[in-house]
Amino acid sequence: MVSQLERRVLWHPRGEDRFAVSSGSQIVVYEYAPDEPAIRDIASQQDLNSLKCFAWSPTPLASDLFAVGLTAGRVDLLRLSEPSSTRPGH
């Protein structure tokens, strides 16, 4: 029997042009520009082997903050921010 990877998509909680996708043991944050045909990945976290679920924090003070639920029942907080070298003006 072949197991299927379950993918989950979560849109930015305050309506920014970003969304996160979880698949297997990773979370990737993407950004799209409605006027351009491209979607780019801006941040990711791998090695989340026991990832069960995730939620994007709605606070404007930490737009890159995620809560990650693990199969062991633990919840971790992690930041998935864009590397400063790819941000405009850096």
Side-chain angles (χ1 to χ4, degrees), residues 25-29 43-48 68 78-80:
S25 62
Q26 71 174 355
I27 298 173
V28 182
V29 177
S44 66
Q45 175 68 46
Q46 287 78 29
D47 301 327
L48 297 168
V68 177
L78 77 111
R79 307 284 299 262
L80 290 175

Side-chain angles (χ1 to χ4, degrees), residues 3-90:
S3 65
Q4 298 279 351
L5 287 179
E6 185 176 336
R7 291 183 171 86
R8 294 185 178 121
V9 176
L10 187 63
W11 288 96
H12 192 281
R14 289 184 318 284
E16 292 182 19
D17 294 335
R18 294 182 178 198
F19 61 96
V21 176
S22 72
S23 175
S25 62
Q26 71 174 355
I27 298 173
V28 182
V29 177
Y30 295 93
E31 181 176 61
Y32 76 96
D35 301 335
E36 297 178 18
I39 295 174
R40 66 183 185 105
D41 60 328
I42 59 170
S44 66
Q45 175 68 46
Q46 287 78 29
D47 301 327
L48 297 168
N49 294 328
S50 55
L51 175 67
K52 180 75 173 165
C53 59
F54 71 106
W56 204 327
S57 173
T59 180
L61 300 175
S63 185
D64 60 348
L65 182 63
F66 287 81
V68 177
L70 307 175
T71 55
R74 193 176 83 212
V75 176
D76 286 342
L77 297 177
L78 77 111
R79 307 284 299 262
L80 290 175
S81 57
E82 182 177 3
S84 61
S85 62
T86 62
R87 288 186 203 145
H90 287 90

